[in-house]
């Protein structure tokens, strides 16, 4: 492994924390009574995930 790969990787603990935060955001979005606001929250989550994936694939 090169140095860049090591710096970009997450520990198991960091990944679990990321998943917990994602689950909380999804639960909060699904509990939103207003369908428009729920859709907006879900779109924000998807946008953030895509941004993270694109940032990692560009490095």
């Amino acid at each position: 492994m090169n140095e860049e790969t090591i710096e970009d990787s997450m520990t198991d603990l960091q990944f679990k924390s990321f998943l917990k935060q994602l689950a909380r955001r999804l639960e909060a979005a699904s509990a939103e009574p207003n369908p428009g606001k729920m859709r907006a929250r879900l779109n924000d989550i998807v946008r953030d995930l895509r941004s993270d994936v694109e940032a990692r694939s560009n490095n």
Side-chain angles (χ1 to χ4, degrees):
M1 260 198 258
N2 64 31
E3 191 173 315
E4 263 184 59
T5 305
I6 293 170
E7 288 178 12
D8 288 343
S9 63
M10 283 188 192
T11 65
D12 287 345
L13 186 58
Q14 289 170 321
F15 186 65
K16 287 177 185 178
S17 176
F18 167 78
L19 291 178
K20 285 180 186 179
Q21 291 174 28
L22 178 58
R24 285 188 193 118
R25 288 181 71 191
L26 289 169
E27 288 168 350
S30 67
E32 176 61 59
N34 181 310
K37 288 182 180 180
M38 179 184 358
R39 200 167 18 260
R41 286 178 132 187
L42 291 171
N43 286 337
D44 286 344
I45 294 168
V46 170
R47 184 192 68 237
D48 291 346
L49 289 171
R50 283 189 177 141
S51 174
D52 288 345
V53 169
E54 290 169 0
R56 289 200 180 273
S57 65
N58 289 334
N59 288 335

Short mmCIF file of all heavy atoms in Angstrom, two decimals:
data_model
loop_
_atom_site.label_atom_id
_atom_site.label_comp_id
_atom_site.label_asym_id
_atom_site.label_seq_id
_atom_site.Cartn_x
_atom_site.Cartn_y
_atom_site.Cartn_z
N MET A 1 0.84 -1.20 0.00
CA MET A 1 0.00 0.00 0.00
C MET A 1 0.87 1.25 0.00
O MET A 1 1.85 1.30 0.73
CB MET A 1 -0.86 0.02 1.26
CG MET A 1 -2.26 -0.44 1.04
SD MET A 1 -3.34 0.08 2.35
CE MET A 1 -3.47 -1.41 3.28
N ASN A 2 0.45 2.22 -0.74
CA ASN A 2 1.21 3.47 -0.72
C ASN A 2 0.69 4.40 0.36
O ASN A 2 -0.35 4.14 0.97
CB ASN A 2 1.22 4.14 -2.09
CG ASN A 2 -0.16 4.58 -2.53
OD1 ASN A 2 -1.01 4.91 -1.73
ND2 ASN A 2 -0.39 4.58 -3.83
N GLU A 3 1.39 5.48 0.60
CA GLU A 3 1.03 6.40 1.69
C GLU A 3 -0.35 7.01 1.49
O GLU A 3 -1.10 7.18 2.43
CB GLU A 3 2.10 7.49 1.78
CG GLU A 3 1.98 8.34 3.03
CD GLU A 3 3.15 9.29 3.17
OE1 GLU A 3 4.29 8.85 2.97
OE2 GLU A 3 2.90 10.45 3.47
N GLU A 4 -0.71 7.37 0.25
CA GLU A 4 -2.03 7.96 -0.02
C GLU A 4 -3.15 7.03 0.38
O GLU A 4 -4.13 7.43 0.97
CB GLU A 4 -2.16 8.29 -1.51
CG GLU A 4 -1.85 9.71 -1.84
CD GLU A 4 -2.09 10.00 -3.31
OE1 GLU A 4 -3.24 9.82 -3.75
OE2 GLU A 4 -1.15 10.40 -3.97
N THR A 5 -3.03 5.77 0.04
CA THR A 5 -4.06 4.79 0.37
C THR A 5 -4.26 4.69 1.87
O THR A 5 -5.38 4.65 2.35
CB THR A 5 -3.69 3.41 -0.20
OG1 THR A 5 -3.45 3.54 -1.60
CG2 THR A 5 -4.79 2.41 0.04
N ILE A 6 -3.20 4.68 2.61
CA ILE A 6 -3.29 4.59 4.06
C ILE A 6 -3.98 5.82 4.64
O ILE A 6 -4.87 5.71 5.49
CB ILE A 6 -1.89 4.40 4.69
CG1 ILE A 6 -1.33 3.04 4.28
CG2 ILE A 6 -1.95 4.54 6.20
CD1 ILE A 6 0.11 2.84 4.63
N GLU A 7 -3.66 6.99 4.15
CA GLU A 7 -4.27 8.22 4.66
C GLU A 7 -5.75 8.31 4.33
O GLU A 7 -6.52 8.88 5.08
CB GLU A 7 -3.54 9.44 4.10
CG GLU A 7 -2.16 9.63 4.68
CD GLU A 7 -1.44 10.82 4.08
OE1 GLU A 7 -2.08 11.62 3.38
OE2 GLU A 7 -0.23 10.93 4.30
N ASP A 8 -6.17 7.76 3.20
CA ASP A 8 -7.57 7.85 2.77
C ASP A 8 -8.46 6.79 3.40
O ASP A 8 -9.67 6.89 3.33
CB ASP A 8 -7.67 7.74 1.25
CG ASP A 8 -7.15 8.98 0.55
OD1 ASP A 8 -7.02 10.02 1.22
OD2 ASP A 8 -6.88 8.90 -0.66
N SER A 9 -7.89 5.76 3.97
CA SER A 9 -8.71 4.68 4.51
C SER A 9 -9.22 5.02 5.91
O SER A 9 -8.67 5.84 6.62
CB SER A 9 -7.91 3.38 4.54
OG SER A 9 -6.81 3.51 5.40
N MET A 10 -10.33 4.36 6.26
CA MET A 10 -10.94 4.55 7.58
C MET A 10 -10.63 3.33 8.44
O MET A 10 -10.52 2.22 7.94
CB MET A 10 -12.46 4.61 7.46
CG MET A 10 -13.04 5.85 6.97
SD MET A 10 -14.85 5.70 7.16
CE MET A 10 -15.35 7.09 6.22
N THR A 11 -10.57 3.57 9.73
CA THR A 11 -10.48 2.44 10.65
C THR A 11 -11.88 1.84 10.78
O THR A 11 -12.88 2.46 10.37
CB THR A 11 -10.00 2.89 12.04
OG1 THR A 11 -11.00 3.75 12.60
CG2 THR A 11 -8.66 3.60 11.97
N ASP A 12 -11.96 0.65 11.32
CA ASP A 12 -13.27 0.02 11.54
C ASP A 12 -14.15 0.91 12.42
O ASP A 12 -15.34 1.06 12.17
CB ASP A 12 -13.12 -1.35 12.19
CG ASP A 12 -12.59 -2.40 11.23
OD1 ASP A 12 -12.59 -2.15 10.01
OD2 ASP A 12 -12.17 -3.47 11.71
N LEU A 13 -13.56 1.49 13.44
CA LEU A 13 -14.31 2.35 14.35
C LEU A 13 -14.85 3.59 13.63
O LEU A 13 -16.00 3.98 13.82
CB LEU A 13 -13.43 2.76 15.53
CG LEU A 13 -14.10 3.54 16.64
CD1 LEU A 13 -15.26 2.75 17.24
CD2 LEU A 13 -13.10 3.90 17.72
N GLN A 14 -14.02 4.20 12.78
CA GLN A 14 -14.48 5.37 12.02
C GLN A 14 -15.60 4.99 11.07
O GLN A 14 -16.57 5.73 10.91
CB GLN A 14 -13.31 5.97 11.22
CG GLN A 14 -12.29 6.67 12.07
CD GLN A 14 -11.05 7.04 11.28
OE1 GLN A 14 -10.59 6.29 10.43
NE2 GLN A 14 -10.50 8.21 11.57
N PHE A 15 -15.49 3.83 10.43
CA PHE A 15 -16.52 3.39 9.49
C PHE A 15 -17.83 3.12 10.22
O PHE A 15 -18.90 3.50 9.76
CB PHE A 15 -16.06 2.16 8.72
CG PHE A 15 -17.01 1.74 7.64
CD1 PHE A 15 -17.24 2.57 6.54
CD2 PHE A 15 -17.68 0.54 7.72
CE1 PHE A 15 -18.13 2.19 5.55
CE2 PHE A 15 -18.57 0.15 6.74
CZ PHE A 15 -18.79 0.98 5.64
N LYS A 16 -17.75 2.48 11.38
CA LYS A 16 -18.95 2.22 12.17
C LYS A 16 -19.61 3.54 12.60
O LYS A 16 -20.84 3.67 12.57
CB LYS A 16 -18.62 1.37 13.40
CG LYS A 16 -18.33 -0.05 13.08
CD LYS A 16 -17.94 -0.83 14.32
CE LYS A 16 -17.52 -2.24 13.99
NZ LYS A 16 -17.10 -2.99 15.17
N SER A 17 -18.81 4.50 12.96
CA SER A 17 -19.33 5.82 13.34
C SER A 17 -20.02 6.48 12.15
O SER A 17 -21.10 7.06 12.29
CB SER A 17 -18.20 6.71 13.85
OG SER A 17 -18.66 8.00 14.12
N PHE A 18 -19.41 6.39 10.98
CA PHE A 18 -20.00 6.93 9.76
C PHE A 18 -21.36 6.28 9.50
O PHE A 18 -22.35 6.96 9.19
CB PHE A 18 -19.05 6.70 8.57
CG PHE A 18 -19.68 6.93 7.24
CD1 PHE A 18 -19.87 8.22 6.76
CD2 PHE A 18 -20.09 5.86 6.46
CE1 PHE A 18 -20.46 8.44 5.52
CE2 PHE A 18 -20.68 6.08 5.22
CZ PHE A 18 -20.87 7.37 4.76
N LEU A 19 -21.43 4.95 9.63
CA LEU A 19 -22.69 4.25 9.39
C LEU A 19 -23.76 4.63 10.42
O LEU A 19 -24.94 4.78 10.06
CB LEU A 19 -22.47 2.73 9.40
CG LEU A 19 -21.66 2.18 8.24
CD1 LEU A 19 -21.46 0.68 8.40
CD2 LEU A 19 -22.33 2.49 6.91
N LYS A 20 -23.37 4.80 11.67
CA LYS A 20 -24.33 5.23 12.71
C LYS A 20 -24.90 6.60 12.38
O LYS A 20 -26.10 6.84 12.50
CB LYS A 20 -23.66 5.26 14.09
CG LYS A 20 -23.44 3.90 14.69
CD LYS A 20 -22.78 4.05 16.05
CE LYS A 20 -22.41 2.71 16.63
NZ LYS A 20 -21.75 2.84 17.93
N GLN A 21 -24.02 7.52 11.95
CA GLN A 21 -24.48 8.86 11.59
C GLN A 21 -25.41 8.81 10.38
O GLN A 21 -26.44 9.50 10.35
CB GLN A 21 -23.29 9.77 11.29
CG GLN A 21 -22.47 10.10 12.51
CD GLN A 21 -21.22 10.88 12.16
OE1 GLN A 21 -21.18 11.61 11.19
NE2 GLN A 21 -20.19 10.73 12.97
N LEU A 22 -25.07 7.98 9.41
CA LEU A 22 -25.92 7.83 8.23
C LEU A 22 -27.29 7.25 8.62
O LEU A 22 -28.32 7.75 8.17
CB LEU A 22 -25.23 6.92 7.20
CG LEU A 22 -26.02 6.61 5.94
CD1 LEU A 22 -26.39 7.88 5.19
CD2 LEU A 22 -25.22 5.67 5.06
N ALA A 23 -27.28 6.25 9.47
CA ALA A 23 -28.54 5.66 9.92
C ALA A 23 -29.41 6.68 10.65
O ALA A 23 -30.63 6.75 10.42
CB ALA A 23 -28.26 4.46 10.84
N ARG A 24 -28.80 7.50 11.49
CA ARG A 24 -29.56 8.54 12.20
C ARG A 24 -30.17 9.55 11.23
O ARG A 24 -31.31 9.97 11.39
CB ARG A 24 -28.66 9.26 13.21
CG ARG A 24 -28.37 8.46 14.43
CD ARG A 24 -27.63 9.29 15.48
NE ARG A 24 -27.11 8.41 16.49
CZ ARG A 24 -25.82 8.24 16.76
NH1 ARG A 24 -24.91 8.93 16.11
NH2 ARG A 24 -25.43 7.41 17.69
N ARG A 25 -29.39 9.94 10.23
CA ARG A 25 -29.90 10.90 9.23
C ARG A 25 -31.06 10.28 8.44
O ARG A 25 -32.05 10.95 8.17
CB ARG A 25 -28.80 11.33 8.27
CG ARG A 25 -27.78 12.25 8.90
CD ARG A 25 -26.71 12.68 7.93
NE ARG A 25 -27.26 13.60 6.92
CZ ARG A 25 -26.62 13.97 5.83
NH1 ARG A 25 -25.40 13.51 5.58
NH2 ARG A 25 -27.17 14.80 4.98
N LEU A 26 -30.94 9.00 8.08
CA LEU A 26 -32.01 8.33 7.35
C LEU A 26 -33.26 8.17 8.21
O LEU A 26 -34.39 8.37 7.73
CB LEU A 26 -31.53 6.96 6.84
CG LEU A 26 -30.50 7.00 5.72
CD1 LEU A 26 -29.90 5.62 5.49
CD2 LEU A 26 -31.12 7.54 4.43
N GLU A 27 -33.07 7.83 9.48
CA GLU A 27 -34.22 7.71 10.39
C GLU A 27 -34.92 9.05 10.57
O GLU A 27 -36.15 9.12 10.56
CB GLU A 27 -33.75 7.17 11.74
CG GLU A 27 -33.37 5.70 11.70
CD GLU A 27 -32.65 5.23 12.95
OE1 GLU A 27 -32.28 6.06 13.81
OE2 GLU A 27 -32.44 4.01 13.07
N ALA A 28 -34.14 10.11 10.72
CA ALA A 28 -34.72 11.45 10.87
C ALA A 28 -35.48 11.85 9.61
O ALA A 28 -36.58 12.41 9.69
CB ALA A 28 -33.64 12.47 11.19
N ALA A 29 -34.92 11.54 8.47
CA ALA A 29 -35.59 11.88 7.21
C ALA A 29 -36.89 11.10 7.06
O ALA A 29 -37.92 11.66 6.67
CB ALA A 29 -34.68 11.61 6.02
N SER A 30 -36.86 9.82 7.39
CA SER A 30 -38.06 8.99 7.23
C SER A 30 -39.14 9.36 8.23
O SER A 30 -40.33 9.10 8.00
CB SER A 30 -37.72 7.50 7.34
OG SER A 30 -37.31 7.18 8.64
N ALA A 31 -38.77 9.99 9.34
CA ALA A 31 -39.75 10.40 10.35
C ALA A 31 -40.36 11.77 10.02
O ALA A 31 -41.31 12.19 10.69
CB ALA A 31 -39.10 10.45 11.73
N GLU A 32 -39.85 12.44 9.01
CA GLU A 32 -40.35 13.76 8.63
C GLU A 32 -41.78 13.62 8.10
O GLU A 32 -42.02 12.90 7.13
CB GLU A 32 -39.44 14.36 7.54
CG GLU A 32 -39.90 15.68 7.00
CD GLU A 32 -39.96 16.77 8.04
OE1 GLU A 32 -38.93 17.06 8.66
OE2 GLU A 32 -41.06 17.32 8.23
N PRO A 33 -42.74 14.29 8.74
CA PRO A 33 -44.14 14.15 8.32
C PRO A 33 -44.45 14.83 6.98
O PRO A 33 -45.35 14.40 6.26
CB PRO A 33 -44.94 14.79 9.45
CG PRO A 33 -43.98 15.66 10.18
CD PRO A 33 -42.61 15.10 9.94
N ASN A 34 -43.70 15.85 6.65
CA ASN A 34 -43.94 16.58 5.40
C ASN A 34 -43.20 15.86 4.26
O ASN A 34 -41.97 15.80 4.27
CB ASN A 34 -43.43 18.02 5.55
CG ASN A 34 -43.65 18.86 4.32
OD1 ASN A 34 -43.31 18.46 3.21
ND2 ASN A 34 -44.20 20.04 4.52
N PRO A 35 -43.94 15.33 3.27
CA PRO A 35 -43.29 14.58 2.19
C PRO A 35 -42.24 15.39 1.42
O PRO A 35 -41.20 14.84 1.04
CB PRO A 35 -44.44 14.19 1.26
CG PRO A 35 -45.66 14.26 2.12
CD PRO A 35 -45.40 15.33 3.14
N GLY A 36 -42.48 16.66 1.22
CA GLY A 36 -41.52 17.50 0.52
C GLY A 36 -40.22 17.65 1.30
O GLY A 36 -39.13 17.59 0.73
N LYS A 37 -40.36 17.86 2.62
CA LYS A 37 -39.17 17.99 3.46
C LYS A 37 -38.43 16.65 3.58
O LYS A 37 -37.21 16.61 3.62
CB LYS A 37 -39.56 18.49 4.85
CG LYS A 37 -39.95 19.96 4.86
CD LYS A 37 -40.26 20.43 6.26
CE LYS A 37 -40.65 21.90 6.27
NZ LYS A 37 -40.97 22.37 7.62
N MET A 38 -39.20 15.55 3.64
CA MET A 38 -38.58 14.24 3.70
C MET A 38 -37.76 14.00 2.43
O MET A 38 -36.61 13.57 2.50
CB MET A 38 -39.61 13.12 3.84
CG MET A 38 -38.95 11.76 3.89
SD MET A 38 -39.95 10.25 3.94
CE MET A 38 -41.60 10.73 3.97
N ARG A 39 -38.33 14.29 1.29
CA ARG A 39 -37.64 14.12 0.02
C ARG A 39 -36.37 14.99 -0.04
O ARG A 39 -35.32 14.54 -0.49
CB ARG A 39 -38.58 14.45 -1.14
CG ARG A 39 -38.19 13.90 -2.46
CD ARG A 39 -39.26 13.97 -3.54
NE ARG A 39 -40.37 14.88 -3.34
CZ ARG A 39 -41.59 14.53 -2.88
NH1 ARG A 39 -41.85 13.28 -2.57
NH2 ARG A 39 -42.54 15.43 -2.75
N ALA A 40 -36.49 16.22 0.45
CA ALA A 40 -35.33 17.13 0.46
C ALA A 40 -34.22 16.58 1.36
O ALA A 40 -33.04 16.63 0.98
CB ALA A 40 -35.76 18.52 0.92
N ARG A 41 -34.59 16.06 2.51
CA ARG A 41 -33.58 15.50 3.42
C ARG A 41 -32.90 14.28 2.80
O ARG A 41 -31.69 14.12 2.88
CB ARG A 41 -34.22 15.09 4.75
CG ARG A 41 -34.57 16.25 5.63
CD ARG A 41 -35.25 15.77 6.88
NE ARG A 41 -34.62 16.43 8.02
CZ ARG A 41 -34.88 16.15 9.28
NH1 ARG A 41 -35.74 15.20 9.57
NH2 ARG A 41 -34.30 16.80 10.25
N LEU A 42 -33.71 13.42 2.16
CA LEU A 42 -33.13 12.24 1.50
C LEU A 42 -32.23 12.65 0.35
O LEU A 42 -31.16 12.07 0.15
CB LEU A 42 -34.24 11.31 1.01
CG LEU A 42 -35.04 10.60 2.12
CD1 LEU A 42 -36.23 9.87 1.53
CD2 LEU A 42 -34.15 9.64 2.90
N ASN A 43 -32.63 13.66 -0.41
CA ASN A 43 -31.79 14.16 -1.50
C ASN A 43 -30.47 14.70 -0.98
O ASN A 43 -29.42 14.52 -1.60
CB ASN A 43 -32.52 15.22 -2.31
CG ASN A 43 -33.59 14.63 -3.21
OD1 ASN A 43 -33.55 13.46 -3.56
ND2 ASN A 43 -34.57 15.45 -3.56
N ASP A 44 -30.51 15.38 0.18
CA ASP A 44 -29.28 15.89 0.80
C ASP A 44 -28.34 14.74 1.17
O ASP A 44 -27.12 14.82 0.95
CB ASP A 44 -29.59 16.70 2.06
CG ASP A 44 -30.18 18.06 1.76
OD1 ASP A 44 -30.09 18.53 0.60
OD2 ASP A 44 -30.74 18.66 2.71
N ILE A 45 -28.90 13.68 1.72
CA ILE A 45 -28.09 12.53 2.11
C ILE A 45 -27.45 11.90 0.88
O ILE A 45 -26.24 11.61 0.86
CB ILE A 45 -28.94 11.49 2.89
CG1 ILE A 45 -29.40 12.08 4.22
CG2 ILE A 45 -28.17 10.19 3.09
CD1 ILE A 45 -30.47 11.27 4.93
N VAL A 46 -28.24 11.70 -0.17
CA VAL A 46 -27.71 11.12 -1.40
C VAL A 46 -26.63 12.01 -2.00
O VAL A 46 -25.57 11.53 -2.42
CB VAL A 46 -28.85 10.86 -2.42
CG1 VAL A 46 -28.29 10.50 -3.79
CG2 VAL A 46 -29.79 9.78 -1.92
N ARG A 47 -26.86 13.30 -2.02
CA ARG A 47 -25.86 14.25 -2.55
C ARG A 47 -24.56 14.15 -1.76
O ARG A 47 -23.46 14.10 -2.34
CB ARG A 47 -26.41 15.67 -2.50
CG ARG A 47 -25.46 16.69 -3.14
CD ARG A 47 -25.85 18.13 -2.85
NE ARG A 47 -25.65 18.39 -1.42
CZ ARG A 47 -26.59 18.82 -0.59
NH1 ARG A 47 -27.80 19.10 -1.01
NH2 ARG A 47 -26.34 19.01 0.69
N ASP A 48 -24.66 14.11 -0.43
CA ASP A 48 -23.47 14.01 0.41
C ASP A 48 -22.71 12.70 0.16
O ASP A 48 -21.48 12.69 0.08
CB ASP A 48 -23.83 14.11 1.89
CG ASP A 48 -24.30 15.50 2.29
OD1 ASP A 48 -24.10 16.45 1.51
OD2 ASP A 48 -24.87 15.62 3.39
N LEU A 49 -23.45 11.60 0.02
CA LEU A 49 -22.80 10.31 -0.24
C LEU A 49 -22.10 10.32 -1.59
O LEU A 49 -20.96 9.86 -1.71
CB LEU A 49 -23.83 9.18 -0.18
CG LEU A 49 -24.38 8.85 1.20
CD1 LEU A 49 -25.54 7.88 1.10
CD2 LEU A 49 -23.29 8.28 2.09
N ARG A 50 -22.77 10.84 -2.60
CA ARG A 50 -22.15 10.91 -3.93
C ARG A 50 -20.90 11.78 -3.90
O ARG A 50 -19.89 11.44 -4.52
CB ARG A 50 -23.14 11.46 -4.95
CG ARG A 50 -24.15 10.44 -5.38
CD ARG A 50 -24.98 10.95 -6.53
NE ARG A 50 -25.89 9.90 -6.97
CZ ARG A 50 -27.13 10.09 -7.35
NH1 ARG A 50 -27.62 11.31 -7.39
NH2 ARG A 50 -27.88 9.08 -7.72
N SER A 51 -20.98 12.88 -3.19
CA SER A 51 -19.83 13.78 -3.08
C SER A 51 -18.65 13.07 -2.42
O SER A 51 -17.50 13.19 -2.87
CB SER A 51 -20.22 15.02 -2.28
OG SER A 51 -19.12 15.84 -2.05
N ASP A 52 -18.92 12.31 -1.36
CA ASP A 52 -17.86 11.56 -0.68
C ASP A 52 -17.24 10.52 -1.61
O ASP A 52 -16.02 10.38 -1.66
CB ASP A 52 -18.40 10.86 0.57
CG ASP A 52 -18.72 11.82 1.69
OD1 ASP A 52 -18.26 12.98 1.64
OD2 ASP A 52 -19.43 11.40 2.64
N VAL A 53 -18.07 9.80 -2.35
CA VAL A 53 -17.57 8.77 -3.25
C VAL A 53 -16.74 9.40 -4.37
O VAL A 53 -15.66 8.91 -4.71
CB VAL A 53 -18.74 7.93 -3.83
CG1 VAL A 53 -18.26 7.05 -4.95
CG2 VAL A 53 -19.39 7.12 -2.73
N GLU A 54 -17.24 10.47 -4.95
CA GLU A 54 -16.52 11.14 -6.04
C GLU A 54 -15.19 11.71 -5.56
O GLU A 54 -14.19 11.62 -6.25
CB GLU A 54 -17.38 12.22 -6.67
CG GLU A 54 -18.54 11.68 -7.45
CD GLU A 54 -19.55 12.72 -7.87
OE1 GLU A 54 -19.38 13.92 -7.55
OE2 GLU A 54 -20.54 12.35 -8.51
N ALA A 55 -15.17 12.28 -4.36
CA ALA A 55 -13.94 12.84 -3.81
C ALA A 55 -12.90 11.74 -3.62
O ALA A 55 -11.72 11.94 -3.89
CB ALA A 55 -14.22 13.56 -2.50
N ARG A 56 -13.33 10.58 -3.13
CA ARG A 56 -12.40 9.48 -2.90
C ARG A 56 -11.91 8.89 -4.21
O ARG A 56 -10.78 8.48 -4.32
CB ARG A 56 -13.05 8.39 -2.05
CG ARG A 56 -13.24 8.82 -0.62
CD ARG A 56 -13.41 7.63 0.29
NE ARG A 56 -13.59 8.05 1.64
CZ ARG A 56 -12.60 8.30 2.49
NH1 ARG A 56 -11.37 8.17 2.09
NH2 ARG A 56 -12.84 8.67 3.72
N SER A 57 -12.78 8.83 -5.23
CA SER A 57 -12.36 8.23 -6.50
C SER A 57 -11.46 9.15 -7.29
O SER A 57 -10.71 8.71 -8.16
CB SER A 57 -13.58 7.84 -7.34
OG SER A 57 -14.31 8.98 -7.73
N ASN A 58 -11.47 10.45 -7.00
CA ASN A 58 -10.61 11.41 -7.69
C ASN A 58 -9.22 11.49 -7.07
O ASN A 58 -8.34 12.12 -7.62
CB ASN A 58 -11.24 12.80 -7.71
CG ASN A 58 -12.44 12.85 -8.63
OD1 ASN A 58 -12.53 12.09 -9.59
ND2 ASN A 58 -13.36 13.75 -8.35
N ASN A 59 -9.05 10.90 -5.91
CA ASN A 59 -7.72 10.96 -5.24
C ASN A 59 -6.84 9.83 -5.65
O ASN A 59 -7.09 8.83 -6.04
CB ASN A 59 -7.90 10.94 -3.71
CG ASN A 59 -8.46 12.26 -3.22
OD1 ASN A 59 -8.30 13.29 -3.85
ND2 ASN A 59 -9.13 12.20 -2.08
#
